[in-house]
Amino acid sequence: MPEQDPLEGEWKNLKTDAEHALQTLFHQIDKNVKAQELFEAYTYAKRVTADALKVRMLMHLPAENPKFRELYSKVQDELDARYGQFFPDGFLKAPYGDQLHEHLFSLLQESLSEPIEAAKLRIVTADGVHTERRTRELRELGMDVDWYKENGIDVYVLRSFDLTFDALPSLVRTIVRRKVKSKADQRRILEEAGIPTNE
């Protein structure tokens, strides 16, 4: 007998909780209760529903995305080729290669060349406040991700699988600033690698 996907069990439980929370909110609105009770019902329903839909979205997306891994690998190879000689082995580990960035890429890839509302991307993080920042970090890797407003709504689009390496110096600055505490050491290291420190 095949094992059940753990996400399926989680989805069933959270779905039930979300249904109950939304029904409670509907009844609170219908009964015209005090504002504080309504706000509490809303915030609870919003949180529980966001958690449920995140799990449902993760069930929909691939656990691993070969195209994301391929592009991320190319970025890492280019970092090593251009700047590896200036840093110890393993220092220049490209950022933004975690599962969250992979999931966001998968969602964008699903609608390649078509805009996706930021609100849909936020489902992946249960409405996390930094979702859009995480999406823009894909662009910092050199991926062909764009964002703009459409009818007043923030949208994101993965235009192609092309990569640009124009942002590699900025990526190296990010890595150095995360790993080296001293500003003076950061400046020295970046200058040795031929990377401007004032951008």
Side-chain angles (χ1 to χ4, degrees):
M1 183 175 173
E3 287 185 31
Q4 184 183 17
D5 180 350
L7 287 174
E8 282 189 31
E10 196 175 349
W11 161 242
K12 285 178 183 174
N13 291 335
L14 288 170
K15 179 184 167 193
T16 301
D17 292 345
E19 286 172 346
H20 174 71
L22 289 168
Q23 285 169 1
T24 300
L25 176 60
F26 175 77
H27 290 308
Q28 297 286 56
I29 292 172
D30 196 43
K31 290 192 312 189
N32 200 23
V33 297
K34 291 179 183 176
Q36 189 59 37
E37 291 178 50
L38 183 60
F39 298 154
E40 288 173 4
Y42 167 71
T43 54
Y44 177 71
K46 183 179 179 184
R47 185 175 70 252
V48 171
T49 304
D51 289 342
L53 288 176
K54 173 187 174 181
V55 170
R56 184 63 188 87
M57 178 64 83
L58 295 182
M59 288 169 61
H60 169 73
L61 295 174
E64 293 182 4
N65 186 315
K67 179 53 77 173
F68 177 82
R69 290 287 130 210
E70 174 195 331
L71 295 177
Y72 183 79
S73 228
K74 286 180 180 178
V75 173
Q76 184 63 62
D77 290 345
E78 193 66 21
L79 267 178
D80 292 337
R82 289 195 192 184
Y83 300 107
Q85 61 189 314
F86 302 107
F87 297 92
D89 285 347
F91 185 93
L92 283 183
K93 173 76 169 73
Y96 317 138
D98 56 34
Q99 200 171 45
L100 173 57
H101 289 91
E102 189 167 353
H103 287 322
L104 290 168
F105 177 89
S106 294
L107 196 49
L108 291 165
Q109 180 185 10
E110 194 174 63
S111 300
L112 186 64
S113 299
E114 297 294 328
I116 293 182
E117 289 187 18
K120 185 174 180 183
L121 292 168
R122 285 196 294 270
I123 294 173
V124 175
T125 63
D127 218 16
V129 294
H130 298 298
T131 307
E132 291 166 67
R133 174 70 190 132
R134 302 290 82 82
T135 306
R136 289 192 293 273
E137 285 167 351
L138 295 173
R139 185 180 173 95
E140 290 180 37
L141 285 173
M143 295 183 186
D144 194 8
V145 174
D146 198 6
W147 65 95
Y148 54 92
K149 282 195 183 288
E150 192 173 80
N151 300 320
I153 296 170
D154 288 330
V155 297
Y156 290 76
V157 57
L158 177 64
R159 297 198 180 280
S160 71
F161 295 132
D162 295 338
L163 280 174
T164 175
F165 297 122
D166 295 345
L168 282 187
S170 176
L171 211 54
V172 174
R173 276 194 295 274
T174 297
I175 295 167
V176 168
R177 287 170 181 162
R178 285 181 176 182
K179 293 187 174 183
V180 179
K181 298 213 180 300
S182 161
K183 296 279 188 191
D185 287 342
Q186 290 175 10
R187 193 177 308 110
R188 176 184 53 78
I189 290 167
L190 290 170
E191 284 174 355
E192 286 173 0
I195 296 171
T197 60
N198 59 351
E199 292 182 19

